[in-house]
């Protein structure tokens, strides 16, 4: 059954679980910060409570984003496989440290180190996919691993609530450490290799298919990715997308509980559903990107939808409608994250994919600013989410405008691809 398709087993599956558990590590704090025991144990009380909660994600995203840059260089030199194992060991240690934290300051330190360790996720995934898949199947390959990015929190939200309710908030961190140690690390050690040529169980026919050239893509890569203005449009667009996605995802559970009065069970259901919305937009985006060859147009549509859903959340009279609209807004930006990674590989080569992804990953720093600013804004406005949501709508509008400048060039590329008549088959 795997004849000629082993790349999906050796690379796609490890990367799926890499993101499945890694994203729970990253955004699970949004659920844990609603637990009264966690807030009490770490002293997250008082009039500046929301700013202090926002600071947890802020410092994580700062270290995560900055480390993307040097991880990209390390991956290009050391290889994706060894770098993945190294980063996973750091994650495991910081999960244990987070569970053992007895003060707010100690917990903050654990999040800084976790951000450094997880900073290699985007560059590693981009490097593996660039090395292991034909250029014409990048959308499907990315949809596979980005599925883990959203299915993980969808399942993880329920799992974390169950663990916290049964044991204590510390147990959630110990469980996440165990998942990395006993699932993720062995998969990279025993299944993956840096390139298909290095893998002893890859056939010559499959390697030959992976290495087939795409003439239109080769024309696009005559210049280094950093000299291509389109890369920087995507970079700015991802600044806005990160601001939106992490601002919504980090504060969504709190929004549902404190602003809309949901009980924990209802909050868990809508939060989990929101991650499934993101997964739906990822799968649809992957299919449409490959089918239409119009990722820039898709990006403009997703930013429009984000602004529309956020506006509905503000105006909706029903708490359920407001909560679902916020979840849909987050979901659209899940689709944007997928398209951004599609662009990274499109504008880079296998040799520069790590650096291109690392530089793009730096834009996640805006997610940290978003989480902190939203917390500070709530403190200043007496707990009201209104000013924060208005700020998110502005970010969605800026992202829409940025991608408008890529649509004309995209039409020209499609025309070139169609006229070359280049077909790749296996």
């Amino acid at each position: 059954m795997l004849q000629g398709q082993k790349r999906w087993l050796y690379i796609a599956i490890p990367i799926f679980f890499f993101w499945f558990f890694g994203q729970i590590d990253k955004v699970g704090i949004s659920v844990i910060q609603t637990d009264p025991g966690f807030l009490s144990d770490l002293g997250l009380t008082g009039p500046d409570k929301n700013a202090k909660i926002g600071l947890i994600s802020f410092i994580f995203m700062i270290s995560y984003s900055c480390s993307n840059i040097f991880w990209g260089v390390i991956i290009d030199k050391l290889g994706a496989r060894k770098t993945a194992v190294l980063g996973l060991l750091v994650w495991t240690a910081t999960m244990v440290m987070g569970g053992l934290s007895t003060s707010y300051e100690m917990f903050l330190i654990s999040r800084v180190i976790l951000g450094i360790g997880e900073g290699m996720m985007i560059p590693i995934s981009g490097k593996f996919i660039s090395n292991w898949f034909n250029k014409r199947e990048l959308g499907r390959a990315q949809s596979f691993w980005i599925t883990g990015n959203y299915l993980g929190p969808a399942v993880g939200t329920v799992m974390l609530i169950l663990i916290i309710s049964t044991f204590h908030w510390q147990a959630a961190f110990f469980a996440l450490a165990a998942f990395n140690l006993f699932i993720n690390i062995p998969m990279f050690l025993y299944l993956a290799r840096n390139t298909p040529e290095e893998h002893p169980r890859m056939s010559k026919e499959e390697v030959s298919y992976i290495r087939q050239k795409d003439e239109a893509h080769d024309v696009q890569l005559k210049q280094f990715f950093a000299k291509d203005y389109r890369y920087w449009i995507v970079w700015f667009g991802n600044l806005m997308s990160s601001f939106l996605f992490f601002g919504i995802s980090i504060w969504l559970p709190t929004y549902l509980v404190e602003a809309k009065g949901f009980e924990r069970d209802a909050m868990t259901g809508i939060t989990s559903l929101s991650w499934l919305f993101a997964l739906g937009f990822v799968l649809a985006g992957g299919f449409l990107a490959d089918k239409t060859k119009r990722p820039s147009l898709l990006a403009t549509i997703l930013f429009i939808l984000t602004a529309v859903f956020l506006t509905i959340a503000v105006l909706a009279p029903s708490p359920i409608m407001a909560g679902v609209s916020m979840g849909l807004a987050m979901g659209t930006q899940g689709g944007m994250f997928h398209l951004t990674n599609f662009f990274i590989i499109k504008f880079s080569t296998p040799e520069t994919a790590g650096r291109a992804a690392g530089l793009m990953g730096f834009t996640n720093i805006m997610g940290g600013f978003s989480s902190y600013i939203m917390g500070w804004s709530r403190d200043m406005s007496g707990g009201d989410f209104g000013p924060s949501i208005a700020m998110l709508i502005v970010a969605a509008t800026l992202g829409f405008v940025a991608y408008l400048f890529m649509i004309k060039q995209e039409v020209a590329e499609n025309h070139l691809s169609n006229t070359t008549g280049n077909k790749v088959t296996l």
Side-chain angles (χ1 to χ4, degrees), residues 192-212:
R193 298 293 187 275
N194 290 324
T195 65
E197 289 85 354
E198 295 177 17
H199 206 294
R201 290 184 290 276
M202 287 291 290
S203 68
K204 292 181 180 180
E205 291 77 14
E206 186 169 359
V207 173
S208 177
Y209 168 72
I210 292 169
R211 296 295 177 239
Q212 284 185 20

Side-chain angles (χ1 to χ4, degrees), residues 277 306 308-310 312-313 316 320-330:
F277 287 153
T306 303
V308 170
F309 288 134
L310 288 171
I312 293 175
I320 293 179
M321 183 181 295
V324 171
S325 295
M326 285 292 288
L328 284 167
M330 189 185 88

Side-chain angles (χ1 to χ4, degrees), residues 25-191:
D25 291 353
K26 186 185 304 175
V27 302
I29 188 65
S30 67
V31 173
I32 295 172
Q33 71 190 26
T34 65
D35 179 59
F38 172 78
L39 299 175
S40 176
D41 290 349
L42 296 188
L44 294 170
T45 57
D48 61 345
K49 178 186 78 170
N50 292 298
K52 291 169 73 175
I53 292 173
L55 185 61
I56 294 173
S57 295
F58 173 73
I59 62 167
F60 167 82
M61 295 305 302
I62 293 293
S63 63
Y64 176 80
S65 304
C66 292
S67 67
N68 265 263
I69 298 175
F70 72 77
W71 277 122
V73 177
I74 292 173
I75 292 164
D76 283 338
K77 299 295 184 181
L78 188 61
R81 181 168 171 254
K82 289 182 179 178
T83 308
V85 173
L86 176 62
L88 284 165
L89 289 172
V90 174
W91 298 9
T92 303
T94 55
M95 285 294 103
V96 173
M97 181 179 178
L100 295 175
S101 295
T102 56
S103 68
Y104 178 64
E105 292 74 19
M106 182 178 177
F107 189 77
L108 288 179
I109 293 172
S110 75
R111 300 306 286 183
V112 171
I113 301 174
L114 176 64
I116 294 173
E118 289 198 354
M120 49 76 177
M121 292 181 73
I122 295 175
I124 278 178
S125 301
K127 188 73 168 181
F128 270 127
I129 290 176
S130 181
N131 281 335
W132 274 82
F133 294 92
N134 185 279
K135 295 299 180 184
R136 289 182 176 266
E137 59 187 9
L138 296 181
R140 280 170 290 163
Q142 288 185 326
S143 291
F144 199 97
W145 67 263
I146 295 180
T147 297
N149 188 45
Y150 301 107
L151 188 59
V155 176
T157 297
V158 178
M159 180 189 72
L160 290 176
I161 290 294
L162 180 61
I163 292 174
I164 293 171
S165 300
T166 305
F167 301 101
H168 201 268
W169 65 266
Q170 290 97 331
F173 288 93
F174 299 146
L176 292 173
F179 291 141
N180 285 325
L181 186 61
F182 297 112
I183 297 177
N184 277 335
I185 292 177
M187 280 196 167
F188 280 108
L189 286 176
Y190 297 109
L191 287 180

Side-chain angles (χ1 to χ4, degrees), residues 361-382:
F362 178 75
T363 61
N364 285 297
I365 195 170
M366 290 300 287
F369 281 103
S370 179
S371 64
Y372 180 74
I373 293 172
M374 288 182 70
W376 174 82
S377 176
R378 287 197 67 211
D379 287 334
M380 293 297 100
S381 58

Side-chain angles (χ1 to χ4, degrees), residues 295-360:
S296 299
L297 178 61
L298 292 175
T300 61
I301 293 172
L302 287 175
F303 272 116
I304 291 173
L305 289 175
T306 303
V308 170
F309 288 134
L310 288 171
T311 302
I312 293 175
V314 173
L315 301 178
S318 165
I320 293 179
M321 183 181 295
V324 171
S325 295
M326 285 292 288
L328 284 167
M330 189 185 88
T332 59
Q333 289 307 304
M336 271 306 309
F337 178 68
H338 167 68
L339 290 177
T340 297
N341 285 278
F342 180 89
F343 282 121
I344 290 172
I345 298 177
K346 179 179 179 181
F347 296 143
S348 66
T349 65
E351 293 74 26
T352 63
R355 279 168 286 175
L359 186 59
M360 189 66 69

